[in-house]
Amino acid sequence: MTGRQVGVVGAGYVGLTTAACLSHLGHSVRCVDNDATRVARLRRGAVDILEPQLADLVGSGLRDGTVRFDTGLDALADCDVVVLCLPTPPGRDGAPDLGSVTSVSESISHEIPGLFALAVKSTVPPGSARALQDSLGTGRIGVVSNPEFLREGRSVADFLRPERIVVGGPSGDAVDAVASLYNSVAAPVFRTDWESAELAKYACNGFLAVKASYTNELADLCSAVGADVSEVTAVMAADPRIGGSFLAPGPGWGGSCLPKDTCGLIDTARRVGLVLDTVQAAVLSNTRHRKRLVARIAEELTGDPGASLEGHRIGILGLTFKAGTGDIRESPALAVVHDLCVRGAVVTAYDPACGSQRASAVDTDGEFQVVDDSAAAVKSASAVVVLTEWPEFRAVDWSAAAREVQRPLVIDARNLLDPAALAACGFSYHGIGRW
């Protein structure tokens, strides 16, 4: 395959993965980011994002000269495809802020003199690509919707071995150019109109949020009737109409995608006079589930789900929104920790990806202490609460921990640990959907 000259704007999770993987696929990539410190580190091969294989791909791209990092959009002058990987954070009303996408696109149009395709990989509401095309004019620049479906912790695998590729826009050279980026990737390519491509991303994440909220509600029901949620979900997963993904209960869903995209989906419906009752219910359920977990912790410690936790020291294992990533954006673990602190608990937390050096970034309000190992987190604790499913928590020396805690109580909000093994060490164990 003859590689293209590709520009990638943004070197965050999506942008850096896109740049590294496209260079691996044989394209010549210029990745631009306005963070000069980040760009300087990337030029040295220093990748600060915790993603398997990503640092290796960046390193090989730098050595082969197939990927370069710059701060100025003028570096894109020779590109025939530019991929936008810019943030679209929700505003107070839930509507995504498209300011960066719009302003950067306008700037790029002045830097590239010839024909080029502008692929919008950022998550945007339906109608955004059409509006962008109208603002840029027709003829020289072809806007294409090319949503990403990358999961943090396995973004490289998802890019190189995707389940589907979506390319949206009017039939023409721009759509063909963007589709050609993936010629060597074995995956079905869905060619759609702009709006269908944009809505598809929202639709997928909205459905996953609904499924996750349902699973968490089911776990609460299992607790109430004496069932085991793991046995119930195993039966559900055997049904091909349901599938096994997003059937693991936890402290709630979060991260950089589901909260933002459910807000965007709800806002999209609102703008056309519709109400997405199911999605709105999933968002409300997610918030309530976190509150119920805090109430359960209070009940275990005091006998009263609404009681103050003054005088109780709680050891937290896990702060990121899921294992395998250092991302704390919209982390349900942090939401639970905040509520515990509001009730007066003294919280000490450990996460393999969030050591004490990152404490100020993790705990922006100074509510709790971040430590560098699990032993320090559980020392003198009235309860140990597992909030992220890091495998290393299974290897904690629970016998030693039992001698250090104030009270041998483990509340496992991920059903990660072995109840029998914890009981053998003297702990009282409570999981989600197993209480």
Side-chain angles (χ1 to χ4, degrees):
M1 181 188 82
T2 301
R4 287 187 171 275
Q5 299 292 318
V6 182
V8 175
V9 183
Y13 273 97
V14 174
L16 188 57
T17 298
T18 298
C21 289
L22 287 177
S23 77
H24 178 73
L25 294 176
H27 304 289
S28 179
V29 180
R30 301 294 291 267
C31 183
V32 174
D33 194 281
N34 62 5
D35 186 331
T37 300
R38 175 185 291 176
V39 168
R41 287 182 56 76
L42 287 171
R43 285 173 172 171
R44 299 194 300 270
V47 175
D48 297 322
I49 297 172
L50 180 61
E51 281 290 329
Q53 299 179 273
L54 184 55
D56 292 338
L57 288 187
V58 170
S60 62
L62 288 170
R63 288 190 298 273
D64 297 339
T66 56
V67 66
R68 294 178 60 184
F69 298 96
D70 296 278
T71 56
L73 294 175
D74 57 336
L76 308 175
D78 296 329
C79 295
D80 53 14
V81 178
V82 175
V83 185
L84 295 184
C85 302
L86 297 169
T88 54
R92 290 186 177 181
D93 61 353
D97 182 354
L98 305 183
S100 293
V101 171
T102 302
S103 62
V104 171
S105 298
E106 180 66 28
S107 298
I108 293 171
S109 70
H110 299 304
E111 298 292 347
I112 302 179
L115 300 172
F116 72 98
L118 184 65
V120 182
K121 199 168 279 292
S122 303
T123 302
V124 296
S128 300
R130 186 180 297 276
L132 187 59
Q133 184 72 81
D134 290 343
S135 70
L136 295 174
T138 58
R140 191 170 65 86
I141 305 169
V143 178
V144 179
S145 178
N146 181 215
E148 53 86 14
F149 297 93
L150 307 179
R151 292 166 289 181
E152 291 187 34
R154 54 165 301 154
S155 65
V156 171
D158 284 344
F159 195 103
L160 298 178
R161 296 182 294 279
E163 295 165 338
R164 75 286 205 197
I165 295 166
V166 179
V167 183
S171 298
D173 292 341
V175 172
D176 292 340
V178 174
S180 74
L181 298 178
Y182 308 98
N183 280 347
S184 61
V185 177
V189 178
F190 292 84
R191 292 189 179 224
T192 72
D193 56 78
W194 280 314
E195 287 80 6
S196 296
E198 291 163 332
L199 185 56
K201 173 60 183 295
Y202 277 144
C204 290
N205 279 349
F207 181 82
L208 294 177
V210 170
K211 190 175 182 182
S213 285
Y214 175 72
T215 299
N216 284 331
E217 289 186 352
L218 189 64
D220 289 336
L221 181 59
C222 287
S223 296
V225 302
D228 187 327
V229 70
S230 63
E231 295 182 0
V232 173
T233 54
V235 175
M236 294 171 63
D239 188 330
R241 297 170 299 174
I242 298 174
S245 64
F246 280 71
L247 287 181
W253 44 265
S256 62
C257 291
L258 294 194
K260 174 174 69 70
D261 292 353
T262 49
C263 285
L265 187 57
I266 291 168
D267 180 71
T268 296
R270 179 184 62 80
R271 289 174 183 272
V272 295
L274 297 175
V275 177
L276 297 183
D277 293 315
T278 304
V279 181
Q280 289 189 165
V283 174
L284 179 60
S285 171
N286 192 48
T287 301
R288 287 176 173 171
H289 181 71
R290 295 172 183 174
K291 300 293 184 183
R292 283 195 294 269
L293 175 59
V294 173
R296 290 291 184 93
I297 294 170
E299 186 173 23
E300 286 298 321
L301 289 174
T302 70
D304 178 2
S308 166
L309 292 173
E310 291 281 353
H312 289 280
R313 181 178 295 277
I314 298 179
I316 298 293
L317 298 182
L319 293 170
T320 56
F321 85 95
K322 69 174 185 177
T325 177
D327 199 347
I328 57 172
R329 288 175 292 179
E330 297 293 333
S331 172
L334 285 180
V336 170
V337 168
H338 171 73
D339 285 352
L340 291 171
C341 292
V342 167
R343 290 208 187 195
V346 177
V347 175
T348 306
Y350 166 68
D351 188 288
C354 302
S356 60
Q357 290 184 337
R358 287 191 62 199
S360 60
V362 176
D363 178 23
T364 56
D365 296 322
E367 291 182 311
F368 60 97
Q369 182 182 11
V370 180
V371 294
D372 287 325
D373 58 66
S374 57
V378 307
K379 186 177 179 63
S380 301
S382 302
V384 177
V385 183
V386 179
L387 293 176
T388 310
E389 71 282 18
W390 287 99
E392 75 170 59
F393 294 155
R394 295 193 182 101
V396 168
D397 187 342
W398 290 104
S399 294
R403 296 190 293 270
E404 296 293 332
V405 296
Q406 181 178 338
R407 176 179 175 181
L409 169 65
V410 170
I411 297 171
D412 184 359
R414 295 286 187 170
N415 290 346
L416 177 72
L417 307 177
D418 181 352
L422 268 293
C425 295
F427 279 94
S428 175
Y429 173 90
H430 301 279
I432 294 291
R434 296 173 170 172
W435 298 36

